[in-house]
Amino acid sequence: MTFLSPMLWVIAFRSLLQHRVRTFILGAAIAGVTALLVTLTGAFVGIRSTLLLSATTLMSGHVNVAGFYKASASAGAPVVTNYKKVRAIIDSEVPELDYVVQRGRGWAKLVSESGAQQVGIGGIDITNEPGFRQVVQIKEGKLDDLTKPNGMLIFEAQARKLGVKVGDTMTIVAPTFRGTSNTVDVILVAIAADIGMLSSWNTFMNDQGLRQLYQLNDESTGALQLYLKDIDQVKPVQERLRRVLAASGFELLDPDPRPYFAKFDSVNRENWTGQKLDVTNWEDETSFVQWIVTALTALATIVIFVLMMIIGVGIMNVMWISIRERTREIGTLRAVGMQRQAVLAMFVAEGTLLGVMSTVLGGLLGVLLSVGLTRAHIGLPTSWQFVFFSERLVISPTLFWVLFSVGFITAVITLISIIPSFLAARLKPITAMSHVG
Amino acid sequence: MSAIVTIQDVVKEYSLGATVVQALRGVNLTVDKGEFISIAGPSGSGKTTLLNLIGCVDTATRGVVEVAGQNTAKMSERELTNLRLNTIGFIFQSFNLVSVLTVFQNVEFPLLLQNKLSAKDRKERVEGLLEQVGLKTHLKHRPNELSGGQRQRVAIARALVTDPLIVLADEPTANLDSETGQAILDLMKSLNQKKGTTFIFSTHDHRVMRYANAVVRIADGKVTGRESPQDAVAHEMEGLDTRSTEVRAS
């Protein structure tokens, strides 16, 4: 008789049913932990997807070819000169490409009549931004008005802070790359719904307007952002581009997984002038916030570990009780010819069955809870928005993580149930049969 | 007839803390194939210990226990389990059925452990036996839905389902009323006669001894004699008379 013998499972199932109160309490606890794990993993997926959405819409492609131009050793600017040649290399060397856009990059003070805010500015050619159109949800104004040379788009939270509405005029004050300060008046043409925390400091303006602000020619841009058909191809594309660009005579910065604005100091300390390109990916550009995901993962791991310990002790206790109650039965089964391995399998089957039933139920509950919470459009407090990268709670349970949660907790429960089961199997038939109690 | 059980100079000791208790003190016994034998003696005399050794659920401290020609002292735990499965059937005083299984499943269980018969053959065998013990209509009942006598019949069917050479019964009628007990013994006896299965059962009830071919007397861990059931019953009655006289005199 093996672990797969139907009779063992019949005994296991009916034994659980016979002690239904105990089974229900423990099963509910296991289901609760599973639901929690599904919800937490769903929250991570939600956070990661929101982060990906924010990052790849607002400040990064899947892969970016950007870099710095230095007129003098200590005056680096986030500029790619002669970007059309780079674009031609990308078009010929990256068959994985879906589309590519060029964005200007700037960092300036945005001043309204009632307030001011330091913001990052993306120079955008809206006629060539299919992804941007799909993702950015316009609350007020028109996205197409970004074709106007002084048109500007900001996000809701920024609009509230600056006290502006569509049609208002604002002033941008920015130090140019040549070391002087420049100002330009812009008209707010669109206000978009917030997209996570990254939208709190990103703004967009017409790319010609940005060139005018920074006094750049038409051959220069801030970055070429590559969007791939399959995001999992980021690493090979990134490595290939580094190799091909170097072979084509471009100078490249050493690989550095930080966002471009964190590299100014180190670039300005280096003793070179001219152009150096930098090939980064979306994770590099958002590495400054990825620690949040890491911290949440660690926190959830600890929580799950503690809960599993508690559940584990519960499982052990229930198995002990079950074995104590059924010691005479074990003796009888051993007497009639059941081998030790079969006794072990019988009790492990009981633990496994309890685990499978409870975790499947818990998985379903977790999915329902996640979907329910997401559909409830629960607004998050500002401090939580920082963590969740979204103004609303978004929990996205995936099949992989649901199956992982169910499988992982069932496996742990099965492993835990082996210990008392093993000791039950070691009992001599005569010892077990003469057990009193 | 050839011997199916041979016991030579068997000693069984238990440790109770620092004290060593001798449950059997040099027992010798031979049981032939097809016998319907009773082991009789007062409580604590060693009947159950002797049955446990023959049933290979316990091992002797010293001496030789041979079952179906195999010296049990030289067998591994796995071999002993296989010997129990294929050679011995057990009938317990408290029936010892698996409470969560149906009547059919309880009886089928040893066949599943053997893994020799197809599902169809198992069904045929189990239903045939349950018909013999009068429980064909109770296949799907659970043990707690049966009377004591019915449960013991299920236990008998389970003991016989593998066609064992020996059936061991430890006070099989102790938890039954006299009428049911008699019916159970009739059943065991008829199976013994039809199939030639060796039955060894313990009892201290003289009404039960009448059914045996022979009665082995055991007292203080020693076999004191082997006698016919008529003699055994006569001795029992004498003992009862003596004890009642002593009670009256006191």
Side-chain angles (χ1 to χ4, degrees):
Chain A
M1 190 168 270
T2 66
F3 189 63
L4 297 176
S5 301
M7 185 64 88
L8 287 188
W9 294 90
V10 169
I11 295 175
F13 180 72
R14 290 188 182 163
S15 295
L16 290 172
L17 211 58
Q18 197 171 40
H19 305 102
R20 51 178 69 87
V21 174
R22 198 168 67 203
T23 302
F24 175 78
I25 293 170
L26 193 63
I30 296 168
V33 172
T34 310
L36 184 64
L37 186 57
V38 167
T39 309
L40 282 175
T41 53
F44 291 137
V45 172
I47 290 169
R48 196 172 185 279
S49 62
T50 312
L51 176 61
L52 177 64
L53 182 70
S54 298
T56 58
T57 304
L58 305 184
M59 56 185 297
S60 173
H62 297 156
V63 177
N64 309 292
V65 180
F68 291 89
Y69 180 81
K70 296 210 294 186
S72 65
S74 60
V79 172
V80 178
T81 56
N82 199 8
Y83 80 86
K84 288 175 183 170
K85 186 182 172 191
V86 177
R87 169 72 193 260
I89 292 171
I90 290 169
D91 286 340
S92 66
E93 297 293 337
V94 186
E96 299 92 339
L97 194 65
D98 186 10
Y99 66 96
V100 61
V101 300
Q102 59 87 14
R103 293 256 182 102
R105 284 174 168 178
W107 185 252
K109 182 181 268 188
L110 186 58
V111 183
S112 71
E113 282 187 9
S114 57
Q117 187 183 352
Q118 200 71 32
V119 293
I121 302 177
I124 187 169
D125 173 8
I126 196 62
T127 59
N128 193 29
E129 288 269 4
F132 195 89
R133 284 178 177 280
Q134 283 172 11
V135 170
V136 172
Q137 191 190 344
I138 299 300
K139 290 287 189 179
E140 199 182 326
K142 287 182 186 170
L143 193 56
D144 285 332
D145 284 349
L146 269 178
T147 52
K148 294 176 182 171
N150 58 347
M152 181 146 204
L153 176 149
I154 63 175
F155 292 89
E156 278 181 309
Q158 296 165 337
R160 278 196 300 274
K161 188 173 178 184
L162 293 166
V164 290
K165 59 184 186 299
V166 168
D168 288 353
T169 300
M170 295 180 290
T171 303
I172 295 176
V173 182
T176 67
F177 304 136
R178 290 181 174 82
T180 58
S181 196
N182 202 5
T183 61
V184 64
D185 283 344
V186 290
I187 296 172
L188 182 58
V189 296
I191 297 173
D194 290 334
I195 310 174
M197 66 174 288
L198 299 183
S199 63
S200 63
W201 72 81
N202 276 288
T203 63
F204 294 91
M205 67 183 293
N206 178 282
D207 64 332
Q208 289 302 333
L210 191 76
R211 281 200 176 87
Q212 188 190 336
L213 176 67
Y214 287 107
Q215 298 165 345
L216 297 172
N217 62 29
D218 285 349
E219 296 295 313
S220 301
T221 189
L224 286 159
Q225 297 183 183
L226 286 68
Y227 294 88
L228 308 179
K229 291 165 194 157
D230 177 5
I231 197 169
D232 290 337
Q233 297 301 312
V234 161
K235 291 285 179 192
V237 167
Q238 191 180 357
E239 283 167 17
R240 191 187 319 136
L241 272 178
R242 287 191 66 83
R243 204 169 50 245
V244 171
L245 288 169
S248 302
F250 287 98
E251 293 277 330
L252 268 75
L253 292 174
D254 291 335
D256 181 356
R258 288 186 298 163
Y260 80 93
F261 53 79
K263 295 177 182 173
F264 276 95
D265 282 348
S266 55
V267 165
N268 286 340
R269 278 199 301 273
E270 291 170 9
N271 188 26
W272 54 268
T273 55
Q275 175 78 62
K276 277 197 179 183
L277 295 182
D278 193 14
V279 184
T280 62
N281 61 45
W282 73 273
E283 285 177 311
D284 299 336
E285 297 296 334
T286 56
S287 58
F288 63 108
V289 288
Q290 295 261 6
W291 67 269
I292 294 170
V293 178
T294 309
L296 280 175
T297 306
L299 184 67
T301 306
I302 292 167
V303 169
I304 294 295
F305 180 76
V306 170
L307 287 173
M308 287 306 295
M309 289 287 283
I310 295 167
I311 292 291
V313 170
I315 288 275
M316 288 270 256
N317 274 332
V318 165
M319 295 297 284
W320 283 123
I321 293 167
S322 179
I323 285 164
R324 274 180 69 86
E325 285 174 354
R326 291 161 62 193
T327 302
R328 285 171 67 84
E329 182 183 307
I330 294 169
T332 306
L333 295 175
R334 294 277 291 119
V336 300
M338 194 176 200
Q339 295 286 0
R340 281 177 168 163
Q341 294 92 322
V343 175
L344 174 72
M346 186 173 76
F347 282 98
V348 171
E350 198 170 313
T352 306
L353 196 60
L354 177 64
V356 169
M357 290 193 301
S358 308
T359 53
V360 167
L361 180 69
L364 287 173
L365 285 176
V367 170
L368 289 176
L369 184 69
S370 304
V371 172
L373 287 173
T374 303
R375 287 197 178 169
H377 296 296
I378 298 168
L380 291 171
T382 311
S383 56
W384 286 57
Q385 288 179 23
F386 183 79
V387 173
F388 279 84
F389 298 96
S390 169
E391 59 181 349
R392 292 197 167 82
L393 185 61
V394 178
I395 303 174
S396 313
T398 61
L399 182 64
F400 171 81
W401 284 109
V402 172
L403 292 177
F404 172 83
S405 306
V406 167
F408 173 71
I409 295 180
T410 302
V412 170
I413 288 166
T414 303
L415 281 174
I416 287 169
S417 68
I418 284 176
I419 301 163
S421 305
F422 178 77
L423 295 174
R426 296 288 301 171
L427 283 172
K428 282 184 173 180
I430 185 67
T431 312
M433 278 196 296
S434 23
H435 175 81
V436 179
Chain B
M1 278 199 276
S2 60
I4 188 92
V5 175
T6 307
I7 292 176
Q8 292 174 354
D9 303 323
V10 163
V11 173
K12 179 65 187 176
E13 294 172 348
Y14 294 107
S15 295
L16 288 175
T19 314
V20 175
V21 179
Q22 279 203 327
L24 295 178
R25 307 163 186 246
V27 170
N28 290 287
L29 176 69
T30 302
V31 180
D32 289 331
K33 274 184 187 166
E35 277 197 289
F36 197 81
I37 197 169
S38 167
I39 297 173
S43 294
S45 59
K47 302 187 296 291
T48 301
T49 304
L50 184 57
L51 279 182
N52 287 340
L53 294 182
I54 297 170
C56 305
V57 291
D58 202 359
T59 48
T61 309
R62 287 188 293 280
V64 177
V65 178
E66 278 188 7
V67 178
Q70 299 183 73
N71 185 345
T72 59
K74 293 180 178 173
M75 296 172 79
S76 66
E77 178 60 41
R78 172 170 281 276
E79 288 168 335
L80 287 172
T81 306
N82 281 331
L83 183 67
R84 289 196 297 272
L85 176 61
N86 297 311
T87 311
I88 304 167
F90 289 90
I91 301 169
F92 301 97
Q93 185 178 336
S94 306
F95 325 126
N96 291 29
L97 300 175
V98 181
S99 59
V100 296
L101 297 183
T102 63
V103 165
F104 181 92
Q105 289 167 332
N106 263 288
V107 179
E108 187 193 25
F109 199 80
L111 294 178
L112 289 169
L113 293 174
Q114 280 187 326
N115 198 23
K116 288 176 184 169
L117 298 181
S118 67
K120 182 171 168 272
D121 290 343
R122 286 200 304 272
K123 187 170 184 284
E124 212 168 89
R125 169 93 60 100
V126 171
E127 287 184 357
L129 264 170
L130 285 171
E131 189 167 18
Q132 282 186 60
V133 299
L135 288 172
K136 183 75 189 294
T137 55
H138 292 68
L139 298 181
K140 291 184 178 172
H141 285 62
R142 298 273 185 89
N144 62 0
E145 297 165 340
L146 302 176
S147 67
Q150 287 172 322
R151 290 184 206 186
Q152 198 60 301
R153 285 164 189 262
V154 178
I156 290 170
R158 181 179 65 184
L160 292 168
V161 76
T162 56
D163 270 340
L165 296 173
I166 309 161
V167 172
L168 301 174
D170 188 10
E171 308 225 22
T173 59
N175 283 341
L176 304 175
D177 61 69
S178 58
E179 196 179 330
T180 311
Q182 194 174 327
I184 290 293
L185 286 164
D186 286 338
L187 178 65
M188 287 165 58
K189 185 78 181 172
S190 76
L191 290 168
N192 164 255
Q193 285 167 349
K194 274 187 208 164
K195 296 188 168 227
T197 309
T198 307
F199 276 78
I200 305 172
F201 59 96
S202 66
T203 186
H204 54 254
D205 183 344
H206 60 89
R207 288 169 299 183
V208 176
M209 291 175 206
R210 291 179 206 275
Y211 283 83
N213 299 132
V215 177
V216 174
R217 288 216 159 267
I218 187 165
D220 296 329
K222 285 184 177 175
V223 172
T224 55
R226 183 179 176 125
E227 53 197 356
S228 68
Q230 293 77 15
D231 291 345
V233 171
H235 280 136
E236 282 290 315
M237 300 312 286
E238 276 172 29
L240 280 176
D241 286 346
T242 310
R243 280 198 291 279
S244 28
T245 308
E246 282 168 359
V247 169
R248 275 198 300 274
S250 66

